[in-house]
Amino acid sequence: MPLTGFAFAGDTLDRADALRDDTDALTALWPAARVMLLDDDGRAMVDMDGALLAAEGASLGGGPGASLFLGLKDGVAWFAAHARHHAVQAPSWLDLRRAAAAWPAFTSGVFAMARALLHWQSSTRFCSACGGAITFRRAGYIAHCTQCGKDHYPRVDPAVIVAVSDGERLLLGRQASWPPRRYSVIAGFVEPGETLEQTVVREVLEETQVRVRDCRYLGAQPWPFPGALMLGFCADAEPDPPQVDGELEDARWFTFDEIDAALAGGDDKAGDGLLLSPSISIARALIEHWHAGMRAARYARIPDKTGH
């Protein structure tokens, strides 16, 4: 079964790479373009109902300038820019997590792309090789050092995230900073010289002391907080007792019935049961994928009325 239901992985832009070097084409597209403006906290400008307010280029005046070209949708260009560069009055601002839960897949995906790229620009102020000043080229996609000539590209940090099962139970852990009773699947960043499968084995063992036997890739989610790519796996493991050493506050095996009750209860912060990852995340999709597989296996074992 494919992973479904999580944010930032649906309808998206044509990134139109060839236009990034075409200043004349971008200038011609600018008047009718949609421009997503983000504040210094990475929040998007919205109306009083929380819907996206993407200004037209003509209303902002001038041309693309330092705006970052995101791509095309139905012939209309989309750009992203820091709101501080434009004289606009925003009725309100909305963060990406809340937007992902409320907006259509396309607009929340564009927001995710804009947030990740603008964060990269803001954090790339000097050349990491020589300390020289940076200027941005290719419509915002290359940070060029004016001193040594080195080019820097947007950073994406790959991380594995994995639903680990011993055949009957699901392994979940929690960080101390999370809301009470919230647990999620195990995750960790890929290190140099590792395959993704090796990362799965290492991270699960480091964080929980549970030994993974094998794993399988299921799908991916861009996670722009600020710039990760979550690579989703399921894994079979030994039924080792989970042990944590500080990276996680706790890790436990949960039964099908416990996960079933948590999914049925939703995000009930007022209750006393297990809380799972938010619905916008691939973590939640992995949990639901495991739950659906276990439910199907249970039904397959139930004999029909003829006794077969």
Side-chain angles (χ1 to χ4, degrees):
M1 295 177 292
L3 290 179
T4 59
F6 50 89
F8 318 135
D11 187 20
T12 189
L13 290 164
D14 170 4
R15 299 197 174 209
D17 176 83
L19 292 178
R20 294 174 185 172
D21 286 317
D22 194 335
T23 303
D24 291 340
L26 294 180
T27 300
L29 289 166
W30 175 256
R34 304 292 300 280
V35 185
M36 184 173 286
L37 299 175
L38 273 61
D39 69 6
D40 290 341
D41 293 322
R43 299 176 301 174
M45 186 172 69
V46 296
D47 63 23
M48 295 307 296
D49 295 322
L52 173 65
L53 274 181
E56 286 193 347
S59 69
L60 296 175
S67 299
L68 199 154
F69 174 61
L70 300 176
L72 301 172
K73 179 68 171 179
D74 299 328
V76 176
W78 283 74
F79 291 83
H82 292 287
R84 63 177 179 269
H85 295 158
H86 298 275
V88 295
Q89 293 295 322
S92 188
W93 300 92
L94 188 68
D95 66 84
L96 180 55
R97 292 179 192 269
R98 288 192 295 159
W103 288 3
F106 171 71
T107 46
S108 64
V110 174
F111 187 1
M113 182 181 176
R115 187 186 188 281
L117 286 167
L118 289 176
H119 180 274
W120 168 72
Q121 284 193 344
S122 296
S123 60
T124 308
R125 298 177 180 273
F126 302 98
C127 176
S128 60
C130 73
I134 287 294
T135 183
F136 289 99
R137 296 181 172 180
R138 293 208 79 224
Y141 282 81
I142 290 179
H144 179 76
C145 177
T146 58
Q147 183 165 294
C148 72
K150 184 178 178 64
D151 287 333
H152 304 269
Y153 297 88
R155 176 171 174 170
V156 177
D157 297 316
V160 300
I161 184 164
V162 52
V164 179
S165 176
D166 66 354
E168 293 293 333
R169 300 172 298 174
L170 181 66
L171 179 65
L172 300 179
R174 65 167 278 106
Q175 297 180 13
S177 61
W178 290 354
R181 301 182 286 112
R182 172 156 289 167
Y183 282 75
S184 187
V185 290
I186 308 302
F189 287 103
V190 181
E191 293 187 352
E194 277 188 323
T195 67
L196 300 180
E197 292 80 3
Q198 289 169 339
T199 306
V200 168
V201 173
R202 175 184 57 78
E203 282 289 343
V204 174
L205 186 65
E206 286 180 356
E207 295 190 11
T208 68
Q209 296 301 300
V210 171
R211 295 167 294 168
V212 168
R213 295 195 301 268
D214 58 73
C215 62
R216 180 167 60 90
Y217 173 76
L218 294 176
Q221 179 186 34
W223 193 245
F225 300 104
L229 176 64
M230 306 305 296
L231 302 158
F233 284 79
C234 61
D236 298 320
E238 302 293 343
D240 300 321
Q243 303 174 55
V244 297
D245 62 0
E247 189 166 351
L248 293 177
E249 180 186 63
D250 187 30
R252 305 180 195 175
W253 290 109
F254 288 87
T255 66
F256 172 85
D257 290 337
E258 289 174 311
I259 300 298
D260 189 62
L263 290 172
D267 195 13
D268 181 13
K269 294 183 174 66
D272 57 4
L274 170 66
L275 290 178
L276 299 174
S277 310
S279 60
I280 68 168
S281 68
I282 193 173
R284 179 61 167 264
L286 287 166
I287 293 170
E288 293 177 351
H289 182 271
W290 176 84
H291 176 265
M294 291 294 293
R295 181 177 57 195
R298 284 190 168 199
Y299 287 156
R301 292 195 296 265
I302 298 174
D304 60 28
K305 293 181 179 180
T306 65
H308 293 91

